[in-house]
């Protein structure tokens, strides 16, 4: 079995498939890279709930429930910690419009049977004293946690290596199709690994692999996200942290989040831009993130800014992933995770291993079959190179 794309989705597929006894190889010039290098790692099934995404909510919750066990297994298999923090999330409103928006989100969460508590502005600031005095209220969601995606990717890579997964550290140039079936790939180093099944996990580039028949190409497109990394101040043991949990807000209609990591990093994200495969960090993107984050938590301007970066969310027409058999025999897809790549990593690994081992997707993953887009035209022209997987 050959996985094209060595981001977290390709790696978790390979690791879980190898654990089921399948001989597995991954093609990627830099496995463990991709959008996990940029992602904030929020496990935000409840605070990132959107209208019309009830089916996706079921998958998100299934994956969130699986996270503690998944982390324990991965840390054991890799010998590496992944920075899973059970810290909860606070979503706050800065003005009357934000407050109305949050009230609607709260109602939707309650209708969906989710746990979320409305707090006054004062109660929000009691939980997080660094919040701006003007905060008008918020939602306390104790079930939305975080993981460090860079460490997650590193651990998945180590677990794959320990499980005997073979790595082709080069580009996939073209899918090999023989007698109407995917049978391997042509790689940039000239090699042509053959495989009984090929899994395309190329993130936002998944719709661009040469050789894939038009009707089997996944309709994914990139949505750029720019992200900042700041360094949190050291606080003496026993003193309150700068922020103790993930803090989110909708500022001027756009989502903003601050994710304080246990390693002292504060991740601030993210822009949402439809600009093709451009990953330039722009002055405007950095300015908007800092301006909005400063409105939310004025003290951030004192913190060192240590990194700016941009990644691409692989986005499908219904914002949900494509998992399982494509319309081309032998070709399976694991892509289109949009905002939820990190959250959906455990459930994706399990679903892909199951379909590879038995031919059947588990019940919870069946609504996400790529065949739901069988008539959709691909969004991009075919080009040769499929770099690493890119979900933020
Ligand atoms: N899930 C966070 C983002 O996509 O920005």
């Amino acid at each position: 079995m050959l996985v094209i794309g060595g981001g977290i989705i390709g790696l978790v597929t390979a690791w879980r498939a190898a654990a089921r006894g399948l001989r597995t190889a991954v093609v990627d010039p830099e496995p463990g890279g991709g959008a996990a290098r940029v992602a904030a790692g929020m496990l935000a099934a409840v605070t990132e709930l959107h209208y019309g995404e009830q089916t996706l909510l079921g998958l998100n919750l299934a994956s969130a429930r699986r996270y503690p066990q998944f982390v324990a297994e991965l840390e054991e298999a890799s010998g590496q910690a992944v920075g899973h923090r059970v810290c909860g999330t606070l979503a706050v409103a800065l003005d009357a419009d934000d407050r109305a928006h949050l009230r609607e989100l709260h109602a939707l969460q309650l209708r969906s049977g989710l746990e979320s508590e409305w707090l006054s502005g004062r109660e929000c600031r009691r939980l997080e004293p660094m919040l701006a005095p003007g905060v008008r209220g918020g939602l306390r969601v104790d079930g939305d946690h975080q993981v460090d995606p860079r460490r997650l990717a590193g651990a998945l890579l180590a677990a794959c290596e320990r499980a005997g997964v073979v790595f082709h550290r080069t580009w996939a140039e073209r899918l090999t199709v023989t007698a109407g079936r995917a049978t391997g790939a042509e790689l940039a180093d000239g090699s042509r690994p053959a495989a009984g099944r090929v899994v395309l996990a190329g993130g936002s580039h998944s719709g661009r692999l040469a050789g894939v028949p038009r009707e089997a190409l996944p309709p994914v497109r990139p949505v750029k996200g720019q992200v900042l990394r700041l360094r949190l101040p050291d606080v003496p043991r026993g003193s309150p942290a700068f922020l103790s949990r993930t803090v989110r807000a909708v500022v001027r209609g756009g989502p903003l989040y601050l994710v304080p990591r246990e390693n002292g990093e504060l991740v601030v994200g993210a822009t949402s831009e439809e600009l093709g495969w451009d990953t330039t960090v722009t002055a405007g993107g950095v300015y908007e993130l800092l301006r909005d984050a400063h409105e939310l938590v004025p003290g951030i301007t004192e913190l060192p800014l240590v990194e700016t970066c941009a990644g691409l969310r692989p986005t499908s027409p219904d914002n949900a992933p494509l998992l399982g058999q494509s319309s081309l025999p032998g070709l399976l897809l694991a892509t289109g995770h949009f905002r939820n790549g990190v959250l959906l990593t455990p459930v994706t690994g399990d679903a892909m291993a199951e379909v590879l081992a038995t031919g059947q997707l588990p019940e919870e993953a069946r609504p996400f079959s790529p065949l739901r887009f069988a008539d959709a035209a691909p969004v991009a022209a075919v080009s040769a190179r499929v770099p690493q997987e890119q979900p933020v």
Side-chain angles (χ1 to χ4, degrees):
M1 196 267 292
L2 186 67
V3 181
I4 297 180
I8 52 175
I9 296 301
L11 290 177
V12 79
T13 298
W15 177 47
R16 291 307 214 192
R20 301 278 289 251
L22 299 175
R23 278 181 48 216
T24 305
V26 173
V27 183
D28 195 304
E30 271 184 72
R37 304 295 308 161
V38 179
M42 290 177 297
L43 308 176
V46 179
T47 42
E48 284 205 3
L49 177 63
H50 288 96
Y51 281 106
E53 294 185 0
Q54 245 68 11
T55 312
L56 178 58
L57 173 66
L59 194 70
N60 286 345
L61 289 173
S63 208
R65 277 193 296 272
R66 226 164 278 190
Y67 239 96
Q69 177 66 24
F70 172 79
V71 166
E73 283 177 37
L74 180 58
E75 290 186 343
E76 168 79 23
S78 65
Q80 298 183 16
V82 299
H84 183 224
R85 246 192 107 185
V86 178
C87 58
T89 295
L90 183 65
V92 301
L94 285 172
D95 61 26
D97 288 348
D98 301 346
R99 198 165 179 276
H101 168 87
L102 266 196
R103 284 283 193 197
E104 279 183 30
L105 175 62
H106 191 216
L108 180 62
Q109 289 167 335
L110 297 183
R111 280 203 301 281
S112 307
L114 303 172
E115 282 187 29
S116 171
E117 183 189 1
W118 182 264
L119 301 183
S120 67
R122 181 173 302 186
E123 287 168 325
C124 290
R125 285 193 304 281
R126 204 172 297 138
L127 280 183
E128 296 296 342
M130 295 304 283
L131 281 172
V135 162
R136 304 282 289 265
L139 294 175
R140 177 177 176 163
V141 177
D142 286 345
D144 277 0
H145 306 303
Q146 59 153 302
V147 71
D148 184 335
R150 292 180 177 179
R151 297 173 84 183
L152 178 69
L156 283 168
L157 182 55
C160 282
E161 282 167 343
R162 286 185 175 187
V165 173
V166 171
F167 283 90
H168 300 276
R169 291 174 192 264
T170 185
W171 303 99
E173 295 277 10
R174 183 177 197 87
L175 184 76
T176 310
V177 179
T178 312
R181 186 180 174 89
T183 51
E186 299 177 17
L187 309 188
D189 64 4
S191 62
R192 295 192 172 7
R197 265 89 50 84
V198 178
V199 176
L200 180 49
S204 59
H205 297 269
S206 300
R208 306 206 293 173
L209 181 62
V212 181
R214 193 176 162 76
E215 64 280 5
L217 276 173
V220 291
R221 67 181 197 281
V223 175
K224 176 178 169 182
Q226 299 189 51
V227 165
L228 315 176
R229 282 175 164 77
L230 283 63
R231 177 132 305 276
L232 291 164
D234 288 331
V235 288
R237 190 182 286 273
S239 305
F242 185 87
L243 290 177
S244 63
R245 71 201 72 216
T246 297
V247 171
R248 322 176 41 108
V250 174
V251 184
R252 296 180 189 85
L256 176 79
Y257 45 82
L258 286 81
V259 183
R261 291 227 197 288
E262 60 186 8
N263 67 0
E265 194 173 74
L266 179 67
V267 184
V268 179
T271 64
S272 221
E273 304 162 72
E274 303 248 8
L275 292 171
W277 283 271
D278 168 62
T279 51
T280 311
V281 175
T282 63
V286 173
Y287 164 72
E288 283 172 24
L289 289 171
L290 285 176
R291 179 196 61 195
D292 296 349
H294 174 253
E295 275 184 36
L296 193 59
V297 178
I300 61 125
T301 50
E302 305 298 322
L303 305 181
L305 172 61
V306 291
E307 189 183 333
T308 60
C309 53
L312 301 172
R313 305 173 182 91
T315 309
S316 75
D318 62 6
N319 296 338
L322 291 84
L323 303 175
Q325 182 59 52
S326 76
S327 61
L328 177 70
L331 179 67
L332 294 90
L333 303 178
T335 187
H337 291 68
F338 189 37
R339 294 185 176 279
N340 299 305
V342 177
L343 171 61
L344 289 174
T345 295
V347 84
T348 298
D350 291 348
M352 294 307 294
E354 181 73 13
V355 70
L356 286 161
T358 69
Q360 295 290 326
L361 279 173
E363 184 73 36
E364 67 210 355
R366 286 188 197 153
F368 305 97
S369 160
L371 303 179
R372 73 190 189 279
F373 297 122
D375 296 330
V379 294
V382 175
S383 82
R385 301 198 149 185
V386 175
Q388 61 269 34
E389 186 245 9
Q390 301 256 347
V392 173

